Amino acid sequence: MEYDIINITGTELAALTTVQTKLLRTAQQKKNELYRKAEKELKAFRAFAYTSGMKNSSLIEAKKKELEDEAEYQTAILADNLIYNMSLNEPPSGGEGGDEGGDESAGYIVDYTLSYNERYVIVRDFYLAISDPDERMALYAADETAKKYLASYYSTLYNVLATYSK
Amino acid sequence: MSRRVTCDILGGKVAPVNCKISGGGVIPAAYPELIGTAVPQNIIYACRAESAGRFFLCTPTDAFVSVGGGEFTRLNSLAGTSPFLVEEVNGGVPRAVLINGENAVAHEGTKFYGVHTGVNLVSGVMRCGRLFAADGENKFMLRWSGEGGIGDWEQKMSGAGYLLLDPEYGEILNLIAFGEKIIAVRRYGLTGLNAFGNPENFSVGITDTRTEEICGGTAAVVCGKLLFYTRSGLRCFDGSRVTPLGHRYSAEVKNPAFAIGYDGKYYLACETGAGRSVLVYDCADGESYIHDIAADGMCAADGVCIFNCSGAYRLGDAQNFSFTAEFDFGSGKDKTVTQIFIGGKADIEIKSGRKTRAFSGASGIIRPKLRGKSFTVKVTGTGAITALNATAEVLNGI
């Protein structure tokens, strides 16, 4: 997949974590879908303009600009959210996050001294803060840290997040 | 062996001036009364704006204004050759706007001011708060403004825009609001634009409207139909097709210049055998007559006003009228007109070749005793004439 929703080099791409890559793919897919829909709508409008005798009017260009402006606006929102979410999933700069210590790459507090209820609430609140339900579910599904951190509570939280996605 | 033959003079070739031939008689028509002499020279356009309560006249350089339509004063400079009037509500205030090319003058009744539209426009109409106008530089381009009216030309989907018409029907001459459509009167036909709601819902109607060359400025809406003049004569568009309209002066009209419609009649500034005239075509019965007056501008305002270099005129109460009629009893042989009956009172002059008989204040039967092959009668009067027929004594039949 070609990525143009944000500026990212090949080196930066290779250094992304699994979660970050998933975030990037999801956002790029949505951007591609936005422009595909805009193109389809413009094609339909052009056909309508031809049948209504308006093919040589300024309407087709105006419609094209309107659709492009809207797609650019929506893409900017996607890119902004992507950058923010990716920043929450930056890999650690040094050392390893293990079962005992905090895992900064998770984006939430990873403290194995907490009870499972407390861990559940932390992870739940983190994911509910993600507005896009599809993105939320994709990230949670790819979150290996959460699987270890929550143990059997992982699947419970998965079902809860899924209901919010409907 | 001789016998008598009678013919209806009004049933033949008649050229009525300031009167109408109707129902076998003559009805005096409204007469152009002088209402003022303070008018500019070189008038190219006249109009009346209800929003400002004013009459306007345009010359190639200036705009003039009058309250009553008789005495005009200079309003503002407005240079150009194709001025037109639109009326709109601007900021909650009704105003009349005279537009000529890129420049305009707005008048709100109590004040006026210049407006620069930024777009070169000739001939336009307002519809649903937008100005639709022909582009002054590209004669195939129809422009529309944004919802902000004549000053809103920002091009966007719901704003201003344009349409390039297919060149098949020629350049745009005028735009006319006709029913629910805007009609582009073009050199060789009509194109209708349905302009409801947002521009994305606009559409061009396809109708069979190709014609001979149309004379610019002659289109006017009368009795729910669009009348206009072509090189071949008067035409009528009823919304779906174009049909010819023959009338009494069909063969005489030359150089049709411009027209207005008022009270079921079509008024056309033109030339006839009487010189510069205003042809009047009555849609109710298809009759036509002329006013022998030159018109540089005309407008309708509780009556028809006509403007020329001599002054401002309003068609008022019927006064003097005249008409000429030619008849020959249907034959080219010699005959003697022994009697003319006139139902009414008028001055009558009957002529055949170089011989003339004149009767002043004739009423009922007059006896010209004039011999010839064909005859021309000139009638001048002020009151209605219910009948006019001639009797001839012919030898060996006609």
Side-chain angles (χ1 to χ4, degrees):
Chain A
M1 175 180 276
E2 189 180 317
Y3 299 105
D4 60 5
I5 186 169
I6 55 172
N7 291 326
I8 187 166
T9 64
T11 307
E12 290 167 339
L13 194 62
L16 294 180
T17 65
T18 305
V19 172
Q20 285 175 323
T21 304
K22 183 68 181 173
L23 285 170
L24 181 62
R25 282 182 65 85
T26 304
Q28 184 64 49
Q29 282 169 353
K30 287 185 177 172
K31 187 216 168 184
N32 293 347
E33 179 60 21
L34 276 176
Y35 278 87
R36 195 189 69 80
K37 268 182 73 176
E39 201 177 312
K40 191 175 171 184
E41 204 172 318
L42 180 63
K43 191 176 172 185
F45 183 81
R46 190 178 278 121
F48 174 74
Y50 271 62
T51 56
S52 62
M54 302 294 288
K55 68 182 176 73
N56 292 321
S57 70
S58 56
L59 294 177
I60 295 177
E61 277 305 308
K63 186 68 171 179
K64 184 178 175 189
K65 185 173 185 315
E66 186 183 77
L67 291 170
E68 281 177 356
D69 286 350
E70 179 62 19
E72 279 174 18
Y73 172 71
Q74 296 295 339
T75 299
I77 295 175
L78 281 175
D80 187 58
N81 285 339
L82 172 65
I83 292 169
Y84 174 72
N85 289 332
M86 283 176 75
S87 70
L88 293 178
N89 287 274
E90 285 291 335
S93 55
E96 297 290 331
D99 288 350
E100 303 299 323
D103 184 350
E104 291 174 359
S105 67
Y108 47 83
I109 297 171
V110 179
D111 185 352
Y112 285 87
T113 65
L114 298 174
S115 67
Y116 277 102
N117 278 344
E118 286 165 329
R119 298 181 201 179
Y120 177 91
V121 168
I122 289 169
V123 177
R124 182 201 65 189
D125 289 349
F126 172 76
Y127 278 99
L128 285 180
I130 299 172
S131 57
D132 189 304
D134 293 336
E135 189 178 337
R136 183 193 306 143
M137 294 310 300
L139 287 173
Y140 188 70
D143 190 350
E144 296 297 328
T145 301
K147 287 175 186 171
K148 291 183 224 170
Y149 191 51
L150 297 178
S152 59
Y153 282 85
Y154 177 85
S155 57
T156 305
L157 181 54
Y158 184 92
N159 293 332
V160 168
L161 291 176
T163 60
Y164 279 105
S165 300
K166 291 177 186 167
Chain B
M1 181 152 175
S2 68
R3 68 185 183 90
R4 284 180 187 169
V5 181
T6 300
C7 81
D8 178 10
I9 294 173
L10 297 178
K13 185 179 175 185
V14 185
V17 179
N18 298 327
C19 62
K20 187 171 89 161
I21 311 300
S22 178
V26 177
I27 302 172
Y31 190 81
E33 296 175 355
L34 182 68
I35 58 173
T37 55
V39 295
Q41 299 298 298
N42 299 323
I43 296 167
I44 59 173
Y45 179 71
C47 59
R48 159 78 183 176
E50 290 305 322
S51 54
R54 301 284 188 279
F55 290 84
F56 297 95
L57 294 179
C58 290
T59 67
T61 55
D62 298 285
F64 294 78
V65 65
S66 167
V67 175
E71 311 295 326
F72 284 80
T73 55
R74 184 181 176 278
L75 176 68
N76 205 46
S77 62
L78 189 67
T81 57
S82 303
F84 62 96
L85 171 78
V86 294
E87 298 184 73
E88 63 167 6
V89 176
N90 182 56
V93 179
R95 66 176 183 177
V97 186
L98 275 170
I99 301 174
N100 204 345
E102 289 191 23
N103 297 307
V105 176
H107 200 298
E108 296 178 359
T110 54
K111 63 175 182 176
F112 68 93
Y113 45 91
V115 177
H116 184 72
T117 63
V119 185
N120 191 340
L121 304 171
V122 297
S123 184
V125 295
M126 294 298 293
R127 174 59 60 96
C128 300
R130 294 180 195 267
L131 172 61
F132 292 80
D135 187 89
E137 289 164 12
N138 185 334
K139 298 292 187 184
F140 298 96
M141 182 182 284
L142 192 161
R143 289 186 176 275
W144 58 83
S145 72
E147 292 162 331
I150 68 160
D152 181 1
W153 294 100
E154 184 187 351
Q155 283 200 14
K156 53 186 180 181
M157 196 62 214
S158 61
Y162 65 84
L163 169 65
L164 282 173
L165 300 178
D166 287 336
E168 180 188 1
Y169 282 9
E171 64 194 61
I172 300 173
L173 301 174
N174 303 104
L175 288 186
I176 301 271
F178 179 58
E180 296 176 341
K181 288 190 171 60
I182 293 169
I183 299 290
V185 179
R186 305 172 63 185
R187 182 67 66 190
Y188 296 105
L190 309 175
T191 299
L193 178 71
N194 300 309
F196 293 110
N198 284 330
E200 58 190 324
N201 295 320
F202 291 175
S203 64
V204 175
I206 300 171
T207 53
D208 178 19
T209 61
R210 191 171 179 84
T211 66
E212 313 90 347
E213 188 178 353
I214 295 175
C215 303
T218 64
V221 178
V222 189
C223 289
K225 296 182 181 171
L226 183 66
L227 271 62
F228 57 93
Y229 238 88
T230 70
R231 293 245 175 259
S232 302
L234 184 61
R235 297 288 181 268
C236 170
F237 177 63
D238 62 3
S240 58
R241 59 195 188 102
V242 176
T243 51
L245 291 179
H247 60 94
R248 193 176 291 280
Y249 269 91
S250 288
E252 277 203 57
V253 169
K254 287 181 179 50
N255 300 324
F258 60 90
I260 65 168
Y262 178 75
D263 196 27
K265 296 183 180 66
Y266 174 78
Y267 295 80
L268 174 77
C270 61
E271 291 174 23
T272 66
R276 291 187 67 192
S277 312
V278 174
L279 172 81
V280 183
Y281 175 85
D282 192 333
C283 290
D285 55 15
E287 278 292 341
S288 67
Y289 56 94
I290 64 168
H291 292 296
D292 52 349
I293 180 172
D296 296 321
M298 283 194 294
C299 65
D302 196 22
V304 173
C305 295
I306 299 172
F307 306 91
N308 58 38
C309 58
S310 300
Y313 300 81
R314 177 177 274 122
L315 294 182
D317 295 330
Q319 295 179 24
N320 297 329
F321 67 84
S322 69
F323 63 88
T324 58
E326 296 174 16
F327 59 99
D328 62 6
F329 295 91
S331 163
K333 295 184 178 178
D334 279 321
K335 70 282 289 186
T336 301
V337 175
T338 57
Q339 177 179 300
I340 290 179
F341 172 79
I342 173 169
K345 185 176 178 181
D347 297 339
I348 295 179
E349 190 180 281
I350 177 169
K351 189 174 174 180
S352 178
R354 284 179 292 182
K355 289 181 256 181
T356 303
R357 301 276 188 270
F359 300 83
S360 178
S363 178
I365 293 175
I366 58 173
R367 300 184 190 282
K369 285 189 181 174
L370 187 65
R371 186 166 179 80
K373 291 184 172 55
S374 66
F375 307 89
T376 300
V377 160
K378 181 174 178 183
V379 177
T380 306
T382 56
I385 293 171
T386 56
L388 186 68
N389 48 57
T391 302
E393 193 82 31
V394 295
L395 198 63
N396 297 329
I398 282 183

